[in-house]
Amino acid sequence: MTQERILICDDEEGILIYLKKLLQTQGYLVETFNAGSQLLRRLREGDPGDADLILQDVRMPDLDGISVLQEVKQLRPSLPVIIMTAFGTIDAAVEAIKLGAYDYVTKPFPKEKILSVLKNALEKEQLLQENRALKTELGKPILQDAIIFRSAVFQETYDLTLQVAASEANILVLGESGTGKELIAGAIHYNSPRRERRFLSINCAALTETLLESQLFGHVRGAFTGAITHQKGLLEEADGGTLFMDEIGDMSLPIQAKLLRVIQERDFIPVGATRSKSADIRFVAATNKDLEEEVRAGRFREDLYYRLNVINIPLPPLRERKDDIEPLAQHFLKKYSLKMKKEVTGVTPEALQLLCGYDWPGNIRELENVMERAVILARTPLVTPKELPIWRRQQKVAAAPAEPQLVSLENMEKVHIERTLLGTGYHKSRSAEILGISRKTLDRKIAEYGITIPA
C-alpha cells in the first residue's frame, strides 16, 4: 500500500518536530517547511501527485497564511489543506474554509484531534479520486473486448454504434431476439455526452398496458386502487440520460400516443396528476418486429416510428457472423467457469466444429445457455460434443428429409393434372388455364392418361 505524504508548514520549530514525529509513527511520509515561500516552491517544482495533504499555519512571518492557501489552490486545486490556528485567529481560519480549506484545528490540539481530522480528510480525498477515476473510465469509449466479436460484419455494426453515439438522435436497434440489442444500447449511452447520467431500460412486452404506463410515467397517490404513495416513473428517473425501450413493437397504441408527446414536447404527465413534468431524454428503442409492416397494419403509429427511427442499427443474427461463435463461446466458458468454480478452459475441435456448424435460431442468448449447460456437465477441462445439446438437434434435422420416391415425368404430369382438376371441381376450361395449356390439349391428356371425370 502506498504511504500518504503530508506537507507541514509552520514557523514554530517545536510544532514541526512534534507533528513530524507523531505522523511518522502513524505511517505517514512527512516533509516540513518553516516558511510559506518554501512550501510554494516545493509545490511548483514537484510533480502533481507527490503530496496528499497540507497542514499549514494560518499565520507565518514571510507570507500571510491566507495568501499561501490561495496560491496552493491555484497550483493544486484538489489537494486538501488543513489550517492550524491559535485561539485569537479563528476568524482567519473560517475565511480559509471559505477559500477552500478542508478544515481547521485550534492550537494547542490533542493528538487524537489532529489525527482524526487528517484521517477524515485523506479518506474524503481518496473517495473523490476514485469518483474522478470512475468518471474518466465512463468517458472512455467502450473497448472492443466489452462487446465480443471478431467478424467483419459485426465490426461495421460496432463502428456505426460508436459513430452515432455522440449525437443526440433517437436510435432504433433492429434484430432478432437474442442478438444483443440492449448491449448495443448501453454502448450508445456510455459513449455519448449523457454517459454521466442514468441509463435505464424497460421491456415493453413484459408488462401489461396499465403497468407499463405506470412504470414509464409514474403515478401520484390515489391515481388508482393500490396507489398509496407517489412513484416516479422511468421518464423522470432518466431525465438527462438515456432510456432503452426493448420490444417497442409490443407497445399499445394509447401508450404510443403518450410517448410521442414526450418525444415532441419533452414533457409528460404522471398517471393521476394534473401538472406536466419536463423530460430531457434520449430514446433508444429496439424490436424484432418489422415496424414498417406494423405501421401498414395499423398496429404502430407512423409518426412515432419516424421519431424513433432517426437512425437505425441492424444487428446481424449469429448465423451471419460465424467468426464470432468461437470468441463468444470462450467468453461464456470463462464467465460460468468462474461462477461455478470449475476448471473448464476450452472446447475440443469436434465441439467447436459442432458449434460453428449450428444455425443458432436463439442467437447469442442460446449460445450462452448452451455454454452454461456445458460447464455444468463438463467432467474434463475441455467441453466435448457430448456436453452440447445441439448435436441431437442436428441429428433430427439431418434425419428428417427422407429421400423422395423417384417417378417418371409421365406419372408426375398425370398426378398434377388430376390435382388441378380436383381443385377446380373438374372445371376443364379453368383447369386448362391454370395448367397453361389449351382445352383441346387437356382433353387429349385426360384420354391419354385414362383420368376419370365424375359425372
Side-chain angles (χ1 to χ4, degrees), residues 230-449:
H230 168 76
Q231 177 180 302
K232 289 183 179 180
L234 291 178
L235 294 174
E236 187 173 353
E237 296 281 4
D239 188 32
T242 304
L243 179 60
F244 172 58
M245 296 180 295
D246 199 6
E247 305 301 347
I248 189 77
D250 291 281
M251 181 179 285
S252 70
L253 287 170
I255 299 183
Q256 288 179 35
K258 291 187 175 184
L259 181 62
L260 180 64
R261 172 190 167 90
V262 179
I263 297 174
Q264 290 179 332
E265 307 298 333
R266 289 183 173 269
D267 65 20
F268 66 96
I269 301 175
V271 178
T274 56
R275 293 185 179 181
S276 64
K277 295 188 175 185
S278 62
D280 173 24
I281 300 170
R282 184 187 195 176
F283 292 95
V284 180
T287 182
N288 57 14
K289 292 186 175 181
D290 183 346
L291 283 191
E292 291 186 356
E293 178 58 37
E294 294 296 298
V295 169
R296 285 192 291 270
R299 292 187 292 266
F300 201 85
R301 293 181 63 107
E302 185 176 20
D303 44 8
L304 178 58
Y305 171 67
Y306 287 118
R307 285 286 184 176
L308 292 172
N309 191 31
V310 178
I311 298 172
N312 71 69
I313 300 177
L315 293 191
L318 189 54
R319 61 183 172 274
E320 293 179 9
R321 40 184 292 211
K322 294 282 190 178
D323 290 345
D324 295 334
I325 292 174
E326 182 178 1
L328 282 167
Q330 291 290 350
H331 169 73
F332 293 132
L333 269 186
K334 183 178 180 181
K335 173 182 175 179
Y336 289 105
S337 296
L338 290 172
K339 183 178 180 180
M340 299 174 194
K341 297 180 174 59
K342 293 185 70 173
E343 290 291 330
V344 184
T345 57
V347 298
T348 64
E350 296 79 13
L352 180 59
Q353 184 178 5
L354 192 60
L355 291 172
C356 294
Y358 183 57
D359 273 347
W360 300 106
N363 292 295
I364 299 172
R365 187 178 296 122
E366 183 184 6
L367 175 60
E368 180 174 5
N369 291 341
V370 166
M371 299 318 295
E372 180 182 10
R373 178 184 186 275
V375 172
I376 294 171
L377 298 179
R379 296 182 179 179
T380 64
L382 295 180
V383 172
T384 69
K386 288 193 299 183
E387 287 87 53
L388 301 175
I390 58 176
W391 70 271
R392 292 190 178 88
R393 298 175 201 166
Q394 288 182 324
Q395 277 187 337
K396 291 178 182 177
V397 171
E403 192 69 29
Q405 185 179 0
L406 300 179
V407 296
S408 68
L409 186 59
E410 184 178 279
N411 283 341
M412 288 183 66
E413 186 178 48
K414 177 184 178 184
V415 170
H416 185 51
I417 292 173
E418 286 177 331
R419 287 177 178 173
T420 305
L421 286 165
L422 179 63
T424 62
Y426 293 93
H427 192 291
K428 291 185 179 180
S429 296
R430 195 178 305 156
S431 297
E433 185 180 351
I434 294 172
L435 293 168
I437 57 178
S438 66
R439 168 69 182 271
K440 184 179 180 180
T441 302
L442 178 58
D443 285 333
R444 179 173 57 80
K445 288 186 176 292
I446 289 173
E448 180 182 338
Y449 292 138

Side-chain angles (χ1 to χ4, degrees), residues 147-163:
I147 298 179
I148 310 297
F149 67 93
R150 183 190 291 163
S151 64
V153 64
F154 198 83
Q155 181 70 57
E156 294 181 11
T157 301
Y158 185 80
D159 291 343
L160 177 61
T161 299
L162 295 185
Q163 182 181 351

